[in-house]
Amino acid sequence: MDEPSRMSWDVAKSVCACKGDGWRLPTIGELQTIYQYRDMFGNFSREYYWALELNKKSGRYYNLKFTNGKIADEESDERNKVRCVWIPTK
């Protein structure tokens, strides 16, 4: 489920981490998979969602738009939607 409001990348990363062990922002690859199966997951906004990685060429963080699957990047202080993922820890 999405977080209730759009937020900066730093806040988004913290919100996910505060959920507990194994919670984090999705990688851009994971976000693409989530987008591909968005109808199964449901309840996505038609906005950009933050990804975990930094685009090293631009120095901005990746995001993905859930209207068309377009990958972009933005400054970390921009506000985007957030859907945390849980990856089991060993």
Side-chain angles (χ1 to χ4, degrees):
M1 175 167 256
D2 288 357
E3 293 303 315
S5 61
R6 296 183 313 137
M7 56 189 76
S8 70
W9 186 88
D10 293 326
V11 172
K13 186 177 177 192
S14 292
V15 164
C16 291
C18 284
K19 289 180 176 285
D21 287 342
W23 285 96
R24 61 172 170 74
L25 285 172
T27 65
I28 194 63
E30 290 166 342
L31 206 51
Q32 287 177 299
T33 300
I34 292 167
Y35 173 77
Q36 182 179 359
Y37 295 102
R38 66 193 175 282
D39 293 336
M40 284 179 30
F41 294 110
N43 299 320
F44 283 93
S45 175
R46 296 176 56 88
E47 299 182 52
Y48 282 98
Y49 282 78
W50 282 121
L52 183 62
E53 297 100 343
L54 180 70
N55 179 339
K56 293 179 183 173
K57 288 185 179 182
S58 70
R60 297 160 30 133
Y61 288 91
Y62 284 114
N63 55 33
L64 188 137
K65 187 155 189 167
F66 268 69
T67 53
N68 58 13
K70 177 185 173 191
I71 295 173
D73 57 42
E74 289 186 304
E75 298 291 335
S76 63
D77 59 349
E78 292 294 327
R79 305 264 188 253
N80 287 315
K81 295 294 288 180
V82 177
R83 185 160 300 192
C84 303
V85 294
W86 181 76
I87 307 300
T89 56
K90 295 182 181 193

